[in-house]
Amino acid sequence: MSATTQAADARVMSGAEIVLQALKEQGVEVIFGYPGGAVLPLYDALFQQNAIRHILVRHEQAAVHAAEGYARSTGKVGVVLVTSGPGATNAVTGLVDALMDSIPVVCLTGQVPTHLIGNDAFQEADTTGITRPATKHNYLVKDIAKLAGTVHEAFYVARSGRPGPIVIDLPKDILIGKGAYSEAPQVPHRSYRPKTEPDMGAIRHAVRLLRAAERPVVYTGGGVINAGPEASRLLTEFVRMTGFPCTSTLMGLGACPSSDPQFLGMLGMHGTYEANLAMHGCDVMLNIGARFDDRVTGRLNAFAPDAKKIHADIDPSSINKNVAVDVAIVGDAARVLAALIECWKAEDAPRQDRAALARWWDRIEGWRGKDCLQYRQESRGVIKPQHAVKRLYEITQETGRDTFITTEVGQHQMWAAQYFGFEKPNRWMTSGGLGTMGYGLPAAMGVQIAHPDALVIDIAGEASILMNIQEMGTLAQYRLPVKVFILNNEYMGMVRQWQELLHGGRYSESYSAALPDFVKLADSFHATGLRAKTIDDLDRVIHEMLAIDGPVIADIAVAKDENCFPMIPSGAAHNEMILAPGQQGGVAGVTDEGKVLV
Amino acid sequence: MPEGTEIGQRSATIAVLVDNEAGILARVVGLFSGRGYNIESLTVAPVDEERRQSRVTIVTTGTAMVIEQIKAQLDRLVPVHRIADLSLDGPHLSREMMLIKVAGAGEERMEALRLAEAFRARVVDATTGSLVFEMTGAGEKLDAFIALMRPLGLKEICRTGVCAMARGPRGLQA
């Protein structure tokens, strides 16, 4: 046999081997998955190699969230492997979560052999049909000759343009069959080529508006995080060189350092007073990598009524979707920021009205003086949830450790966003668009796998944490020292808050009855359980939690009736915010029209 | 539709060049149903065997902002190569084909044949008691012919949906 035919023979392998080879070529080091009948050939191939590590989760939804945590904290594509039928359907929530929050994930699903597709075979589901609106794109591989190319394309599509989840459905006969491996193509994709370089005409137009602005505001989102750490650095540079105030969506926290005096905090439904009023009162708004989500805009016809709006986004379909803008810039956030900086510095750029900007800052400082995030923590007795997050932040700061925060969904999530400061991008993992309870624990697993030495904390609620509590088993198996910090108010707090404010205090089904003993629960999962009942316990429990080199559940009993403020009620405008009691009169009325909104 | 931006609705004929692969039609239709856009007419057929491409023609209505959204959303689909808003890009041709069956005898049958001639519809099937006409034209012309056939024993209609192309030398190629 000649050397060439030998080389050619070496390229012929099983479908399962082709998949793993393609993953390796794409730089994959870890897969989050759960085995089953249809993917047994892939698990057999995984068993016989050492290049790719497999993390066995306890539920397929958690595999996707773990891959999301891995992806968001590293900037790499997260990879998931699940079986056919229920394996795939269980993954759907995670896929939609990744779609809404633009997280690059490749999810491999098993499928019944091609000759049985459509026959209602055991563990068969129409996975590509079910996941079509749940993914950025999906594939069903019915020809082994296309297998390697499909995997390569999936990674390209997942990470290009606005990132998102991709499903590759793999029939069992394709995984068992023999075929040739092909390397990733070096030619551009035949149809999917997102534009990343901004149009310089639009950039110059934007800079002219920004230079002439008297009341500017920069509003940034997850797109800046997705564009890589360089985008966050450029954002900070741009904000400092212009002297503009900067606010961020939930997804964008960490791009502009929270300690920067020009950072106004988060905006939107539970954003700060100063951020929302700056948005309402601005005359020029620069949106980079955010999508005018309803949580952010409030009532649309009262949104920033006097502002010229500039919107930079990598996804053209995000522009002019909810809010009509004056200048549209399609491009990658880092390239857009670099172009804005260059254009701002240009010799012929018009002069900036610094006096007007100073007057604008005076107004903003006035709003800031309201101190909208203040709360009253009594020196004895019940722990305020805000205080618990604030102390957690302060104490983790003292440790100096690189800290990553994930959350579940609800009040605790908003308090985490409000009271935990983020100085760097990729340190904050939360389910923003879909609002998936049960996201935080598996996401923390993924983060800890990617950053074994970092401090990873899931700030949770007692209701959300139960939605994926089985993942405590995964923490134990892989010795992942994730800290679960539960703000336990014995209520689905955000549901309770809305029922109090909008539904006459009728707390329909929002009480967390029959809760487990979280300390014993931790113990049964080979973790350490801690509990803080009063304010006297809080600091000690946080210190103890951080000192333990292993998974911990810290059950923090907090005030049961605390509400999350400020709040823009549904259907209200930014300047119709409700502040905490004592800062402003009673609750503003919510119209029936507003009640319809979620 | 966002509050406060309500302006006039317009009709748009959008041509989309796509990879001819399994599920592509479901992607397009799912996009419209999932996001609540109207579909008034949708046609699809392979147009390039070598490149394995199909052309989809969609007629939809919406405000200018919604139609821009529809185009941006279509363009985001991975197997989509090109999109053209024929209604916006200049003059275009828009045609539909129809098969229409009329059953009747005597004077009604004669009247149907006379009208068909006036409309340049072709007789493609005839029995002693029935006629099938084939007719191509703008949608309004087809509508008018159907209205005339209704009292003359109209039995069945099959329309292809709109097939459209820009006038002039420029083509829609990937």
Side-chain angles (χ1 to χ4, degrees):
Chain A
M1 194 186 278
S2 77
T4 27
T5 40
Q6 249 176 355
D9 277 359
R11 311 291 286 171
V12 173
M13 41 181 123
S14 74
E17 288 164 339
I18 290 174
V19 171
L20 292 186
Q21 182 64 34
L23 295 183
K24 267 181 246 172
E25 194 186 326
Q26 292 293 334
V28 175
E29 290 165 354
V30 59
I31 296 178
F32 301 90
Y34 202 105
V39 283
L40 282 174
L42 260 172
Y43 275 85
D44 197 34
L46 271 172
F47 189 83
Q48 298 175 55
Q49 57 87 51
N50 289 314
I52 296 174
R53 188 178 175 205
H54 179 273
I55 303 297
L56 176 66
V57 297
R58 269 46 175 179
H59 187 286
E60 288 88 350
Q61 181 194 351
V64 188
H65 293 324
E68 287 184 273
Y70 180 91
R72 292 204 66 194
S73 66
T74 60
K76 297 182 197 166
V77 178
V79 183
V80 177
L81 169 56
V82 298
T83 194
S84 63
T89 56
N90 276 347
V92 168
T93 300
L95 294 169
V96 180
D97 192 272
L99 182 71
M100 293 285 272
D101 285 346
S102 310
I103 313 298
V105 167
V106 170
C107 176
L108 309 169
T109 57
Q111 183 54 279
V112 301
T114 46
H115 69 272
L116 286 180
I117 290 179
N119 283 23
D120 299 328
F122 177 65
Q123 290 196 332
E124 182 186 356
D126 175 9
T127 299
T128 47
I130 291 168
T131 62
R132 204 171 285 125
T135 54
K136 182 175 175 185
H137 193 55
N138 63 14
Y139 304 89
L140 167 63
V141 181
K142 291 171 99 169
D143 175 3
I144 197 164
K146 291 183 177 158
L147 181 56
T150 302
V151 177
H152 294 312
E153 183 177 309
F155 277 81
Y156 165 78
V157 174
R159 65 174 176 255
S160 303
R162 179 176 176 178
I166 310 293
V167 159
I168 312 176
D169 204 22
L170 299 165
K172 195 170 184 181
D173 55 326
I174 298 292
L175 293 175
I176 290 172
K178 298 272 185 216
Y181 181 75
S182 56
E183 284 170 12
Q186 300 302 312
V187 292
H189 190 269
R190 67 195 181 283
S191 58
Y192 187 69
R193 295 183 293 266
K195 178 172 148 62
T196 54
E197 281 300 331
D199 173 66
M200 282 312 287
I203 293 283
R204 279 191 291 272
H205 187 185
V207 168
R208 273 201 303 279
L209 287 176
L210 290 166
R211 280 274 184 182
E214 295 184 351
R215 303 186 309 280
V217 70
V218 180
Y219 144 47
T220 70
V224 178
I225 310 285
N226 275 339
E230 176 67 0
S232 295
R233 194 192 66 71
L234 289 167
L235 170 70
T236 310
E237 183 184 337
F238 180 76
V239 166
R240 289 180 183 160
M241 71 190 271
T242 55
F244 289 173
C246 180
T247 177
S248 167
T249 67
L250 181 72
M251 296 306 292
L253 294 176
C256 182
S258 67
S259 62
D260 193 298
Q262 285 170 248
F263 185 63
L264 307 182
M266 181 173 76
L267 83 165
M269 186 171 270
H270 294 289
T272 66
Y273 190 65
E274 53 270 33
N276 284 334
L277 288 189
M279 288 291 280
H280 190 77
C282 70
D283 68 343
V284 179
M285 174 191 298
L286 171 62
N287 168 351
I288 304 177
R291 57 187 174 91
F292 292 110
D293 175 77
D294 56 70
R295 295 290 100 156
V296 156
T297 60
R299 191 166 79 243
L300 274 171
N301 63 3
F303 174 68
D306 303 325
K308 291 268 183 215
K309 300 176 188 81
I310 303 160
H311 187 186
D313 205 295
I314 199 158
D315 176 8
S317 77
S318 282
I319 297 176
N320 291 324
K321 181 176 68 180
N322 300 329
V323 170
V325 297
D326 301 279
V327 183
I329 304 170
V330 176
D332 174 81
R335 315 255 175 109
V336 168
L337 280 157
L340 286 171
I341 289 169
E342 186 194 327
C343 193
W344 183 274
K345 283 181 180 163
E347 295 281 324
D348 56 345
R351 222 164 52 84
Q352 189 185 10
D353 187 348
R354 282 273 170 179
L357 185 61
R359 285 196 298 278
W360 177 229
W361 269 111
D362 282 346
R363 285 177 67 188
I364 292 172
E365 292 302 342
W367 296 325
R368 228 179 210 169
K370 193 106 184 172
D371 194 12
C372 69
L373 294 180
Q374 64 175 280
Y375 57 87
R376 231 180 117 85
Q377 173 61 59
E378 303 294 340
S379 59
R380 309 209 67 93
V382 182
I383 303 165
K384 288 276 183 162
Q386 300 94 323
H387 190 66
V389 176
K390 187 154 174 272
R391 286 306 293 151
L392 179 68
Y393 172 54
E394 289 164 353
I395 294 170
T396 53
Q397 284 283 94
E398 286 162 20
T399 68
R401 293 179 64 187
D402 197 5
T403 305
F404 294 75
I405 299 293
T406 71
T407 74
E408 311 289 332
V409 168
Q411 282 184 324
H412 68 272
Q413 177 190 28
M414 293 298 111
W415 284 318
Q418 291 172 333
Y419 295 93
F420 206 101
F422 296 95
E423 297 297 301
K424 292 180 191 165
N426 307 101
R427 302 303 190 277
W428 164 246
M429 269 55 59
T430 194
S431 172
L434 193 63
T436 310
M437 292 169 74
Y439 168 88
L441 176 54
M445 267 156 40
V447 175
Q448 191 81 75
I449 291 285
H451 309 274
D453 300 324
L455 176 58
V456 183
I457 305 171
D458 172 25
I459 298 180
E462 86 289 338
S464 280
I465 193 65
L466 289 177
M467 283 213 183
N468 269 319
I469 194 70
Q470 75 288 342
E471 297 309 316
M472 290 302 295
T474 312
L475 294 187
Q477 181 176 347
Y478 298 97
R479 299 172 196 279
L480 302 174
V482 167
K483 317 301 181 210
V484 180
F485 190 74
I486 301 175
L487 301 181
N488 187 343
N489 60 3
E490 297 180 25
Y491 274 102
M492 295 159 208
M494 195 59 92
V495 173
R496 196 206 61 79
Q497 176 169 344
W498 281 51
Q499 288 173 334
E500 180 189 328
L501 300 178
L502 306 175
H503 296 278
R506 292 177 294 278
Y507 300 122
S508 180
E509 302 295 326
S510 55
Y511 181 67
S512 295
L515 283 171
D517 178 331
F518 284 107
V519 173
K520 286 184 187 161
L521 186 142
D523 190 48
S524 73
F525 274 112
H526 320 289
T528 307
L530 302 171
R531 178 170 292 131
K533 287 181 178 166
T534 68
I535 190 69
D536 299 328
D537 306 328
L538 180 64
D539 280 18
R540 178 183 50 79
V541 164
I542 294 173
H543 280 293
E544 248 185 273
M545 174 181 91
L546 299 184
I548 293 167
D549 181 26
V552 177
I553 294 180
D555 182 17
I556 313 294
V558 297
K560 296 191 203 316
D561 55 357
E562 195 67 18
N563 285 334
C564 185
F565 291 118
M567 177 180 182
I568 300 176
S570 298
H574 279 172
N575 60 345
E576 297 166 348
M577 228 172 311
I578 309 175
L579 296 180
Q583 292 193 311
Q584 191 180 281
V587 168
V590 173
T591 60
D592 283 350
E593 223 170 67
K595 263 192 206 173
V596 174
L597 305 170
V598 287
Chain B
M1 186 61 214
E3 206 184 329
T5 51
E6 199 72 41
I7 43 167
Q9 302 255 322
R10 78 168 171 100
S11 167
T13 303
I14 300 169
V16 193
L17 207 57
V18 301
D19 279 333
N20 181 15
E21 60 179 37
I24 179 62
L25 195 56
R27 282 182 211 287
V28 172
V29 171
L31 172 65
F32 276 73
S33 64
R35 292 185 182 267
Y37 306 141
N38 296 317
I39 298 181
E40 286 177 7
S41 162
L42 185 144
T43 63
V44 57
V47 290
D48 189 332
E49 287 298 322
E50 200 178 311
R51 294 191 211 179
R52 304 172 55 81
Q53 287 179 355
S54 290
R55 178 164 167 143
V56 184
T57 309
I58 304 161
V59 181
T60 181
T61 50
T63 60
M65 205 161 154
V66 166
I67 288 174
E68 284 311 306
Q69 257 301 297
I70 291 173
K71 288 188 283 182
Q73 293 290 353
L74 283 168
D75 204 25
R76 223 153 70 112
L77 297 178
V78 171
V80 166
H81 288 263
R82 280 289 307 274
I83 294 196
D85 183 344
L86 299 174
S87 319
L88 210 64
D89 293 350
H92 69 278
L93 301 160
S94 177
R95 293 287 181 274
E96 236 186 298
M97 197 191 92
M98 163 170 78
L99 295 175
I100 179 166
K101 185 178 285 180
V102 183
E107 190 46 40
E108 282 181 359
R109 182 181 169 85
M110 292 313 294
E111 180 62 8
L113 280 166
R114 275 196 294 274
L115 286 166
E117 201 180 338
F119 273 78
R120 295 188 198 158
R122 288 201 303 136
V123 177
V124 289
D125 179 66
T127 66
T128 50
S130 71
L131 294 162
V132 176
F133 299 113
E134 175 196 315
M135 185 169 164
T136 302
E140 304 83 63
K141 179 178 158 184
L142 271 52
D143 293 342
F145 189 67
I146 291 168
L148 292 170
M149 289 303 113
R150 222 171 270 289
L152 302 176
L154 176 65
K155 277 296 204 201
E156 191 179 347
I157 303 165
C158 180
R159 296 171 69 149
T160 57
V162 169
C163 172
M165 187 175 281
R167 288 183 183 270
R170 255 179 356 139
L172 177 77
Q173 292 306 326

